Amino acid sequence: MVIQTDFLIIGSGIAGLSFALQAAAHGTVAIVTKREIAESATRYAQGGIATVFSTEDSFDAHIEDTKIAGAGLCHEDVVRMVVEEGPQTIRDLIDWGVKFTTTTNGDEYDLTREGGHSARRILHAEDITGREIERALVEAVQQNQNISVYEYHIAIDLITCAKIARCNVENNCCLGAFALNINDSMVHTFAAGTTVLASGGAGKVYLYTCNPDVASGDGVAMAYRAGATVANMEFMQFHPTTLFHPNAKSFLISEAVRGEGAVLRRRDGVAFMEKYHHLKDLAPRDIVARAIDNEMKIYGDDCVYLDITHEPSDVVRNRFPNIFQTCMEYGFDMTKDWLPVVPAAHYLCGGVSVNMDGQTDIPGLYAIGEVAFTGLHGANRLASNSLLEGAVYARRAAIHAIATASERKVHAAGSIPEWDSGTATNSDEMVVVSQNWDEIRRFMWNYVGIVRTTKRLERAMRRINLIQAEIDEYYWNFIVTSDLIELRNLATVAELIITCAQMRKESRGLHYTIDYPERDDSSGPKDTILKKQFA
Ligand code: SIN
């Protein structure tokens, strides 16, 4: 079946839904999403969304904090634009129905603090900010007649004119995407004038992650295969504090808990962050995650502890109701107990390279949110800048895509080929998928994690090459399933991360390698750029 639409959006987090709401006033919109519409990384964001809303704060201070966290790699023009357009973008969210927490007398928004921020500037909805944003945007989308939502559909590949031999790679353009309906196993062709990747990050490439299962790097992998430039994939951010418990699936303990006074301790009670940074527990995230990793290695411990027991218990309960309740379910009362915590993969700072309007280098293809590399985060993202980036870029990309839509055509059924399964048969060996899935995630954690070495990266590269060959052979012989699509994407993303990590011969921000422990500014800061070479 061919589905024609003016705007095709792949993903349904803050970026995809915000874009959809704006584009829908100018054409038909189709949202393709792998699970039910509300399932996205946005939904799990706890801390909040950073912006300058207080008279005691300033754009310059937010810009400076973002640049310090970014360790010399932030693109200054992008940082300024995102910070300055932040307040207006957040007012749009409020107009769509997002309810942020207000102060006790209700006349101002309550602003919290997180690591690396020099001022209170994080708007939040209790400790479930993402859930509240997602609720409001989903409700607005569901009321909009111009938006069709395709749940349980997973994009397989972008359709480009180079791929269907309409033009050469240099004149490539995007015509839409193929997507598998997970429920009935049919592949549909989505023909679109504008295609938007808003598919989120790739935390699932690591064994331990606080990302939801949908974060398998699909957008980055599809864009790379289609010929788009990707950049800075070595910068995977590890969140310092996820709950250490066999059944907790790396449940996030928001940085806002440290923002409100929590202290990291070793098993023997020693508060260790002072040793690593003058901001102690509120140091930038890369430093806190590495400090925890180091303490665990030195003392042979499985975790460290987060202690907020000195704060009044009603304050903790009221400020962090979701974290409090979830920890109670695992047997920890955070008003009395130290919480056992470990770092886990959290946020991809690199991605599909875009300009200030969210355009990739394939005409007709935009990328917004975590899937995109904009230059905002540099080598390490400042806490709560990601929801902001997603919303600001959705707005800019929508304005640009609407203004230029008449330059692009929605192809009619029959003028672009439909999905061809060839001689593929049903697989009777799903074990190949689960074996490779587990193997990738484990060696990425062990060899391409918080602390890297040249040898570990070489080992990882050897393994991913073998696995890629096996997946390729398997992929073309068997009918596609969502597990196979995700595995192929995960393998591509793993390869891109390892390649970028090997190219960066220094330690900077989130990329730390024992073999090049210093930051190298001798030839100026550089992004790591990758583009697929077609034969
Ligand atoms: C958190 O609540 O700690 C996560 C916030 C973020 O990653 O920006």
Side-chain angles (χ1 to χ4, degrees):
M1 184 166 67
V2 178
I3 296 154
Q4 289 174 281
T5 184
D6 295 314
F7 302 96
L8 168 64
I9 301 166
I10 300 170
S12 58
I14 187 171
L17 298 183
S18 304
F19 185 102
L21 288 168
Q22 290 161 91
H26 302 268
T28 52
V29 176
I31 300 176
V32 163
T33 188
K34 291 202 285 187
R35 303 277 188 275
E36 62 275 16
I37 183 170
E39 182 65 357
S40 67
T42 296
R43 180 186 189 175
Y44 297 89
Q46 295 180 353
I49 180 160
T51 203
V52 177
F53 247 51
S54 151
T55 48
E56 283 155 39
D57 196 6
S58 69
F59 288 147
D60 283 344
H62 190 182
I63 290 167
E64 195 53 24
D65 293 345
T66 301
K67 282 168 50 189
I68 291 171
L73 268 198
C74 296
H75 296 195
E76 176 125 22
D77 49 349
V78 170
V79 178
R80 180 162 292 282
M81 179 277 284
V82 172
V83 165
E84 291 185 354
E85 294 190 9
Q88 177 52 49
T89 307
I90 284 176
R91 281 188 198 98
D92 290 347
L93 293 176
I94 294 168
D95 290 345
W96 283 321
V98 177
K99 292 185 175 45
F100 293 111
T101 299
T102 51
T103 50
T104 336
N105 52 15
D107 56 359
E108 285 169 30
Y109 286 109
D110 181 52
L111 300 173
T112 192
R113 209 176 152 190
E114 290 181 284
H117 287 276
S118 59
R120 286 188 167 265
R121 66 167 71 97
I122 323 272
L123 283 151
H124 64 100
E126 294 181 335
D127 57 351
I128 47 166
T129 310
R131 206 186 299 173
E132 169 55 16
I133 292 174
E134 197 69 20
R135 177 205 63 75
L137 297 185
V138 167
E139 275 177 30
V141 160
Q142 283 170 340
Q143 283 160 19
N144 195 308
Q145 302 294 317
N146 248 2
I147 304 177
S148 307
V149 181
Y150 294 84
E151 295 182 317
Y152 291 92
H153 280 62
I154 176 169
I156 305 173
D157 261 323
L158 297 168
I159 304 168
T160 57
C161 49
K163 198 181 287 174
I164 61 172
R166 280 268 171 67
C167 60
N168 55 28
V169 174
E170 283 70 44
N171 291 324
N172 206 0
C173 58
C174 185
L175 310 175
F178 294 117
L180 173 77
N181 179 340
I182 295 169
N183 290 330
D184 67 10
S185 302
M186 298 296 291
V187 176
H188 301 304
T189 304
F190 285 81
T194 301
T195 302
V196 183
L197 293 172
S199 48
K204 291 302 278 186
V205 83
Y206 285 91
L207 188 58
Y208 301 111
T209 176
C210 45
N211 287 180
D213 289 345
V214 290
S216 50
D218 305 337
V220 176
M222 284 190 295
Y224 178 72
R225 284 197 294 269
T229 300
V230 304
N232 284 9
M233 294 292 290
E234 68 274 40
F235 296 121
M236 171 60 79
Q237 184 171 70
F238 293 83
H239 195 289
T241 56
T242 66
L243 192 64
F244 179 66
H245 185 284
N247 302 328
K249 268 193 112 183
S250 302
F251 174 70
L252 187 72
I253 309 294
S254 175
E255 195 155 308
V257 178
R258 275 177 286 130
E260 299 299 338
V263 173
L264 284 161
R265 299 188 187 281
R266 284 200 310 254
R267 187 159 43 99
D268 58 12
V270 171
F272 55 83
M273 274 314 297
E274 195 167 354
K275 207 162 75 181
Y276 295 92
H277 198 274
H278 67 277
L279 289 173
K280 298 187 216 168
D281 299 90
L282 285 179
R285 229 172 244 186
D286 56 327
I287 292 164
V288 183
R290 253 193 325 274
I292 294 175
D293 186 69
N294 195 40
E295 293 292 317
M296 282 165 43
K297 284 193 172 120
I298 292 174
Y299 291 89
D301 289 337
D302 290 334
C303 63
V304 295
Y305 296 87
L306 190 64
D307 171 17
I308 195 163
T309 57
H310 48 279
E311 294 293 332
S313 72
D314 57 329
V315 172
V316 173
R317 272 211 195 100
N318 291 336
R319 175 63 186 84
F320 303 110
N322 175 52
I323 297 174
F324 174 79
Q325 189 48 43
T326 307
C327 290
M328 283 300 271
E329 283 160 23
Y330 291 108
F332 305 106
D333 177 347
M334 67 192 280
T335 67
K336 299 196 188 93
D337 305 322
W338 299 352
L339 297 176
V341 289
V342 284
H346 180 58
Y347 190 88
L348 182 61
C349 293
V352 185
S353 191
V354 294
N355 67 10
M356 293 238 248
D357 292 317
Q359 284 181 288
T360 70
D361 51 8
I362 298 182
L365 180 66
Y366 293 74
I368 52 178
E370 189 173 348
V371 67
F373 163 72
T374 64
L376 173 69
H377 307 306
N380 176 36
R381 178 181 65 99
L382 184 66
S384 287
N385 263 357
S386 45
L387 292 174
L388 178 70
E389 182 194 47
V392 168
Y393 269 86
R395 184 164 176 265
R396 290 182 73 93
I399 291 169
H400 189 273
I402 290 161
T404 57
S406 60
E407 297 164 16
R408 296 181 295 272
K409 170 165 160 219
V410 182
H411 284 67
S415 77
I416 42 180
E418 293 199 34
W419 179 257
D420 179 10
S421 306
T423 54
T425 56
N426 277 318
S427 163
D428 55 1
E429 270 203 280
M430 283 311 281
V431 67
V432 174
V433 175
S434 56
Q435 165 65 30
N436 284 329
W437 177 267
D438 292 344
E439 209 174 315
I440 292 173
R441 299 182 70 208
R442 189 167 292 280
F443 74 66
M444 286 300 286
W445 182 261
N446 287 330
Y447 295 160
V448 199
I450 297 172
V451 176
R452 301 161 180 177
T453 68
T454 302
K455 273 213 158 51
R456 286 179 199 167
L457 294 177
E458 283 166 5
R459 284 191 196 114
M461 187 55 100
R462 278 200 295 275
R463 276 163 177 76
I464 199 65
N465 286 339
L466 281 174
I467 290 176
Q468 290 269 39
E470 197 163 297
I471 294 171
D472 265 358
E473 182 217 338
Y474 193 86
Y475 188 83
W476 298 113
N477 287 332
F478 297 106
I479 286 170
V480 285
T481 62
S482 61
D483 287 346
L484 184 54
I485 293 165
E486 286 186 342
L487 172 66
R488 181 183 182 223
N489 292 337
L490 210 69
T492 302
V493 168
E495 186 195 341
L496 296 173
I497 294 174
I498 301 164
T499 306
C500 286
Q502 287 186 320
M503 287 164 74
R504 188 167 289 284
K505 308 273 188 232
E506 62 165 347
S507 289
R508 182 187 292 272
L510 299 162
H511 174 71
Y512 182 81
T513 165
I514 290 171
D515 293 302
Y516 301 96
E518 303 301 330
R519 177 166 146 172
D520 177 8
D521 281 319
S522 56
S523 55
K526 279 196 195 64
D527 294 321
T528 318
I529 313 280
L530 294 178
K531 199 170 168 75
K532 188 175 161 92
Q533 299 304 314
F534 291 91

